[in-house]
Amino acid sequence: MPADCGIDEAAAVLRAGGLVAFPTETVYGLGANALDPNAAARIFEAKARPSFDPLISHLADAADLPALVGAVPPAVAALADRFWPGPLTLIVDRPAAIPPIVTSGLDTMAVRVPDEPSARALIAAAGVPVAAPSANRFGQLSPTRAEHVVAGLGGAVDVVLDGGPTRCGIESTIVDARGERPVVLRLGALPVEALVEAVGPVEVRQGSSGRPVAPGTLAAHYAPRTPLRLDAVGAHDGGRRGFLAFREPPADGDWAAVEVLSPSGDLTAAAARLFDALHRLDAAGVTEIVAEAVPDAGVGRAVNDRLRRAAATWH
Ligand code: TXA
Ligand code: MG
């Protein structure tokens, strides 16, 4: 069992090369000192994560970015200024201080400042940038509670900080704003509409097959252990089935377990509950999960993206 301790002790574990799982506003992260290649290697090992899938580095404060990477392109700085702390990850050139294992050999790095006071306090106390992917085994459901981390990674983590359920519930939006027009590499908790309002038109260029743009955006990802399908048609294998609904339970059908994401139809609330609901359905002893798509607007696009990738795992 990983230890539960205070922020200062957890920061000392990070400085000593250990792994600390901590809450952010999006999902729980599995943190290690981003300046220490051995510590970063432990993340890949604990998650069984392929070495080609680079990590996001987390800073305590937006002002720490120029100190780490030097000058940043004006559009990147503008987005950081507008949305940090927050669920936006930005792509910058990798500085020499960040070892290549963190970026999987890319000459760019992903970086963000989480909007969660305890996370920022942890990073500040550690005094180093903290590399942190979601604290789940590779390809599986993301953790939105400390219990999910313990169940998924258990003894592979030195410390788990429990901050309760995370506020956004899905991962940050990843944007490469180094070129002429910002490119969204992963849909996430910051809606595309908010980006457009701040910086004008953006391009959404998510990877889905072959060599993905953001290597973690593989076609199959975010998957429960139970087979998940997005379309109820033809989904009848006679077993106990679970249903993931957006606003209300299905009117017909024989469902052994039903989770409703948001009775009031609120997409932000639905995103916040998505992985928690999938974790519960996964634990409900059903043989199949049927998930209903949500309206494809705002953060709903990111929810549908997660559902599509979860379903793709089972095709
Ligand atoms: O909300 C989040 O972003 C959470 C919390 C913990 O901050 N972290 C997270 O990390 O979702 P992870 O490892 O599950 O996803 C990181 C994504 C991957 O898809 C990875 O390929 C992409 O970031 N990424 C990292 N560095 C990149 C780079 N230099 N260029 C493009 N994509 C990159
Ligand atoms: Mg992840």
Side-chain angles (χ1 to χ4, degrees):
M1 267 303 273
D4 189 9
C5 65
I7 283 183
D8 287 338
E9 285 166 87
V13 170
L14 283 176
R15 274 196 307 275
L19 296 184
V20 174
F22 63 97
T24 77
E25 80 281 31
T26 60
V27 300
Y28 276 73
L30 178 63
N33 178 355
L35 305 179
D36 176 349
N38 296 322
R42 287 194 59 199
I43 292 180
F44 286 92
E45 199 182 299
K47 276 184 64 94
R49 182 182 179 104
S51 58
F52 61 74
D53 194 3
L55 308 175
I56 297 174
S57 295
H58 297 67
L59 303 177
D61 199 283
D64 299 338
L65 183 65
L68 178 66
V69 305
V72 294
V76 177
L79 282 169
D81 207 44
R82 172 76 177 76
F83 292 111
W84 282 357
L88 173 68
T89 293
L90 294 166
I91 303 298
V92 296
D93 291 339
R94 177 179 65 84
I98 297 290
I101 184 173
V102 169
T103 65
S104 298
L106 296 177
D107 54 14
T108 56
M109 75 179 279
V111 61
R112 82 179 189 101
V113 177
D115 185 17
E116 161 59 47
S118 69
R120 297 175 66 197
L122 172 71
I123 301 162
V128 293
V130 174
S134 51
N136 53 293
R137 286 180 70 81
F138 182 73
Q140 298 186 352
L141 292 176
S142 298
T144 58
R145 294 174 182 273
E147 297 90 310
H148 299 156
V149 180
V150 174
L153 295 175
V157 190
D158 298 309
V159 170
V160 178
L161 294 176
D162 187 349
T166 62
R167 179 163 52 82
C168 300
I170 54 174
E171 295 83 351
S172 61
T173 302
I174 304 180
V175 175
D176 184 351
R178 294 170 307 142
E180 223 162 83
R181 170 181 290 207
V183 182
V184 176
L185 303 181
R186 177 177 74 181
L187 294 167
L190 183 72
V192 169
E193 290 87 336
L195 286 167
V196 172
E197 199 190 301
V199 294
V202 301
E203 187 187 331
V204 179
R205 197 195 299 158
Q206 292 209 110
S208 60
S209 62
R211 181 162 170 77
V213 192
T217 53
L218 297 165
H221 215 82
Y222 310 110
R225 287 174 316 236
T226 314
L228 179 143
R229 61 158 63 221
L230 262 176
D231 188 353
V233 178
H236 198 65
D237 66 354
R240 283 165 51 82
R241 296 183 305 154
F243 196 93
L244 179 73
F246 173 44
R247 296 190 69 149
E248 49 193 28
D252 46 27
D254 180 18
W255 305 102
V258 174
E259 291 284 336
V260 177
L261 289 179
S262 171
S264 66
D266 182 273
L267 287 171
T268 304
R273 294 211 46 221
L274 174 69
F275 284 119
D276 198 35
L278 285 172
H279 276 285
R280 271 201 298 278
L281 287 171
D282 215 10
V286 295
T287 53
E288 184 173 56
I289 298 168
V290 176
E292 177 177 63
V294 304
D296 213 36
V299 76
R301 286 182 70 179
V303 171
N304 288 336
D305 166 76
R306 303 302 187 269
L307 289 174
R308 267 194 302 274
R309 290 175 203 275
T313 304
W314 300 106
H315 283 172

